[in-house]
Amino acid sequence: MKVFLSPSNQRSNTWALGGTNEKEQAEGFADKLQVLLEKQGVTVVRADGVSPSKRISYAKGCDLYIPLHTNAFNKKVRGCRLYVYKKNKGISTGLAVKNAAAMEAIRNQVDKLGMSRKVIVNYDYANWTELSNAAAAGIPAVYSEAIFHDNTEDCNWYFSNVDRLAQAYAVAICDFLGVEQTKKTLYRVQVGAFEHRVNAETMKQKLQEAGFPGFITEAAV
């Protein structure tokens, strides 16, 4: 599976906090997302130095195209906004179905982050160049505006949760692509086996007092 990540090149869009801008943060988010996706075996393609309107030529063979941006309006509005191609509205076949599925996957995962009720994940339709280019190429695409960077609350939330947000996007992308995500392997160490439960309880208490998790299981011998 192959995904094209297209972070914003809009350096002039300054953030309300952090002395940063949309381009810098979008590319940083793309970096985090790329690492997570590649750990799941997903190939990531980027062309950050190329004008966004021309990036589609690098996305040949990709299964999903995601422009990564942040938003601005009146310094009061907050939340994540997701967009798909305008001409897909009301259509229930082909590319429109895939676009809707990809968008819904991202929305579902971002909604799980437990943000303030003010931080609403909305979706809409747009006719922006990257979306129309992707549609012409037959590639599903979701245009992401992760937060409103002119809102200080959104900026603070983003700085505190960017890793969780990247993980949410990665999980959503893998879900959409049907990529089975690998799970971490845990290695447990047993410190004792006791015939009498009272001795097991004593050992568990010692472990917990030392700052280690302790639990008791039963096994027939």
Side-chain angles (χ1 to χ4, degrees):
M1 291 295 179
K2 189 185 297 186
V3 173
F4 189 88
L5 299 182
S6 181
S8 171
N9 67 342
Q10 296 163 291
R11 189 184 299 276
S12 62
N13 289 348
T14 56
W15 280 36
L17 292 176
T20 187
N21 59 72
E22 181 175 345
K23 178 180 187 294
E24 184 175 276
Q25 292 302 317
E27 289 181 353
F29 186 78
D31 291 342
K32 293 177 181 292
L33 185 52
Q34 179 172 352
V35 170
L36 293 170
L37 290 173
E38 289 178 343
K39 283 183 178 179
Q40 302 301 328
V42 176
T43 299
V44 173
V45 182
R46 293 168 63 175
D48 296 11
V50 177
S51 170
S53 64
K54 298 179 180 178
R55 290 178 186 175
I56 191 65
S57 62
Y58 296 84
K60 184 177 180 180
C62 287
D63 302 289
L64 185 62
Y65 188 115
I66 303 187
L68 297 168
H69 291 253
T70 55
N71 216 334
F73 183 54
N74 62 0
K75 301 183 181 181
K76 297 179 182 179
V77 178
R78 298 186 63 189
C80 177
R81 301 292 188 272
L82 303 172
Y83 298 86
V84 292
Y85 188 42
K86 187 174 183 178
K87 292 184 179 180
N88 288 163
K89 191 171 185 178
I91 299 175
S92 59
T93 57
L95 186 63
V97 173
K98 293 181 179 179
N99 283 341
M103 180 178 63
E104 191 64 22
I106 295 174
R107 184 171 69 163
N108 285 341
Q109 291 301 323
V110 175
D111 270 337
K112 293 178 181 179
L113 296 181
M115 297 183 286
S116 160
R117 65 179 180 82
K118 294 181 181 179
V119 186
I120 303 168
V121 183
N122 283 335
Y123 68 90
D124 205 343
Y125 299 85
N127 198 33
W128 299 326
T129 301
E130 287 194 271
L131 289 176
S132 59
N133 284 347
I139 303 172
V142 179
Y143 195 107
S144 166
E145 301 269 17
I147 64 162
F148 280 80
H149 62 247
D150 62 343
N151 182 290
T152 56
E153 290 180 276
D154 252 16
C155 289
N156 274 324
W157 183 89
Y158 182 86
F159 291 138
S160 298
N161 293 277
V162 60
D163 289 333
R164 294 174 64 222
L165 187 63
Q167 182 65 46
Y169 273 63
V171 170
I173 291 169
C174 288
D175 285 347
F176 169 73
L177 297 176
V179 173
E180 185 175 350
Q181 297 174 69
T182 57
K183 296 179 174 60
K184 294 181 180 179
T185 300
L186 298 179
Y187 299 92
R188 293 191 175 97
V189 178
Q190 180 178 322
V191 295
F194 305 91
E195 184 176 355
H196 301 291
R197 186 176 181 90
V198 64
N199 294 332
E201 294 286 358
T202 299
M203 176 58 74
K204 185 179 78 169
Q205 182 176 350
K206 288 180 179 179
L207 287 170
Q208 292 175 336
E209 288 173 352
F212 298 101
F215 55 89
I216 296 174
T217 60
E218 296 183 2
V221 294

